[in-house]
């Protein structure tokens, strides 16, 4: 659900993955945005950060054992009550980074035998021959 207005944008999306993996991907995604991280609350999965124009935060909430809700909020320091200009650039950038990284994480697995990073499509590890499926 996306809400635009008052100089900012709020968006939340649901993903089928663990909260630990979502947290790691969120940190990597935010680091790619060229922003300054103000605080990271790992126990509550909240990251607050900013750039020259916006104050932003990402929150990750567990929904059940295998899915999470990722919430991104971006606002200007001062609300623009009468502005109808769409201000969703940072939100779109975050989710594009997040979904790209999620796709990359899902494309590879770690071999349980030799710990090599291998394609998730193989049946046997090409490094050690261990059956992975």
């Amino acid at each position: 659900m996306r809400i635009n207005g008052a100089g900012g944008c709020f968006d939340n999306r649901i993903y089928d993955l663990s909260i630990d993996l979502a947290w790691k991907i969120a940190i990597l995604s935010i680091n790619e945005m060229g922003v300054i991280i103000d605080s990271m609350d790992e126990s509550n999965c909240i990251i607050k950060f900013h750039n020259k124009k916006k104050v932003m935060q990402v929150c990750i909430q567990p929904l059940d054992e295998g899915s999470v809700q990722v919430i991104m909020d971006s606002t200007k320091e001062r609300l623009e009550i009468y502005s109808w200009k769409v201000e969703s650039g940072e939100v779109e950038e975050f989710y594009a980074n997040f979904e790209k990284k999620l796709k990359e994480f899902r494309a590879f697995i770690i071999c349980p035998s030799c710990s090599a990073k291998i394609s998730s499509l193989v049946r046997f590890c090409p490094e050690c021959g261990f059956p992975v499926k």
Side-chain angles (χ1 to χ4, degrees), residues 74-118:
S74 168
T75 60
K76 290 187 175 179
E77 287 194 32
R78 294 181 184 218
L79 297 178
E80 293 181 354
I81 304 301
Y82 298 106
S83 174
W84 291 100
K85 183 179 176 189
V86 176
E87 294 282 349
S88 59
E90 290 83 4
V91 171
E92 290 172 6
E93 180 183 4
F94 169 76
Y95 281 115
N97 288 345
F98 188 90
E99 290 169 2
K100 178 183 169 198
K101 295 208 173 303
L102 178 58
K103 187 176 180 180
E104 290 170 1
F105 270 92
R106 288 184 172 160
F108 296 96
I109 59 173
I110 302 298
C111 174
S113 177
C114 70
S115 300
K117 183 178 175 183
I118 59 176

Side-chain angles (χ1 to χ4, degrees), residues 117-130:
K117 183 178 175 183
I118 59 176
S119 169
S120 63
L121 302 175
V122 299
R123 296 181 70 178
F124 297 91
C125 175
E127 299 294 322
C128 70
F130 187 81

